[in-house]
Amino acid sequence: ALDLHKDTVKVIFTGSSQEGLRRMFSLAKAPFFHFGQNLPFPELDRHFTDHLIKVFYTATKRKLDNDELWEIFQEMQKIPQLVRALVERIALNPTLSLEEAKTQLLADVFNDRAFANSWEQCSALERLLLHEIATGSSTLFAMHTRSRLAKTLGISSLSVPSVQSALRILQRKELIGQYAERNGYYIDDPNFKNWLTQTTSV
């Protein structure tokens, strides 16, 4: 149907998994192979949180603090779904403050058993690499990084092929993705990234 009406119907595919979207259009056996192209969306700015506050006021006739919601949005890594869920929670629970609603929401996210299961199914090296990626490391193959990881693992050395193999496994598990032109990796689910940095240690 989309092919037949492509001159009049324009489609935008979005999702929480950048790697999953990439595969939809890049794998030869995928149903949308070469159907479209991947374009990164810019991060939402303060206009988004101000809009949420206006919608909240229209629905509830109650006011929220613009500055506080914008600050929370930034603390949540600018994940739209999270801050939208936060405002919805306050709409349904009038006695909650923004800070209380944030604490409850993040607790719900961090207690998600799916994240814990994913973590538990990873090897020690995979967990270390997940932490490196979540904290923004771009030197996964560098000698100093591999030496540090090897020391943590209690081994004499860690080879580049070993790191590459572990990264490929994490990609197959759909936990990480790779930026275009192979210039680094990212945690595929931003909620999982928050879970990693807030609730785990290696």
Side-chain angles (χ1 to χ4, degrees), residues 5-31:
H5 302 285
K6 61 184 177 183
D7 292 334
T8 53
V9 178
K10 308 302 179 186
V11 185
I12 297 176
F13 297 85
T14 67
S16 61
S17 171
Q18 296 180 54
E19 184 67 12
L21 287 170
R22 185 193 65 77
R23 285 193 301 273
M24 277 179 60
F25 300 103
S26 63
L27 298 181
K29 294 182 179 180

Side-chain angles (χ1 to χ4, degrees), residues 49-185:
T49 52
D50 287 347
H51 168 72
L52 288 179
I53 285 176
K54 289 178 182 177
V55 172
F56 177 85
Y57 180 77
T58 300
T60 67
K61 295 300 182 284
R62 289 184 277 130
K63 294 182 179 181
L64 294 176
D65 186 279
N66 295 57
D67 293 334
E68 187 177 2
L69 187 63
W70 168 243
E71 184 176 327
I72 289 173
F73 184 45
Q74 294 178 89
E75 291 174 6
M76 292 178 163
Q77 309 296 315
K78 293 188 174 180
I79 302 173
Q81 174 263 335
L82 279 184
V83 74
R84 185 186 178 282
L86 174 73
V87 172
E88 181 179 342
R89 185 173 293 234
I90 294 175
L92 297 174
N93 300 274
T95 60
L96 285 180
S97 68
L98 277 170
E99 190 64 31
E100 289 169 337
K102 182 190 78 171
T103 300
Q104 289 183 8
L105 181 62
L106 291 180
D108 289 345
V109 171
F110 294 156
N111 288 331
D112 190 329
R113 188 59 198 171
F115 294 156
N117 287 339
S118 295
W119 176 256
E120 290 165 4
Q121 292 169 13
C122 289
S123 69
L125 175 55
E126 290 163 17
R127 293 180 184 182
L128 287 173
L129 291 172
L130 283 172
H131 259 283
E132 290 290 313
I133 296 168
T135 54
S137 173
S138 59
T139 59
L140 299 179
F141 300 106
M143 176 64 77
H144 64 87
T145 301
R146 288 187 289 113
S147 296
R148 175 167 49 81
L149 297 181
K151 184 177 181 180
T152 302
L153 291 168
I155 57 179
S156 58
S157 63
L158 181 63
S159 67
V160 169
S162 294
V163 174
Q164 290 172 327
S165 177
L167 290 171
R168 283 194 295 269
I169 291 171
L170 290 173
Q171 284 182 287
R172 286 198 296 270
K173 291 179 178 179
E174 300 183 6
L175 297 179
I176 66 170
Q178 188 171 16
Y179 291 116
E181 300 178 2
R182 300 181 179 276
N183 63 348
Y185 296 84

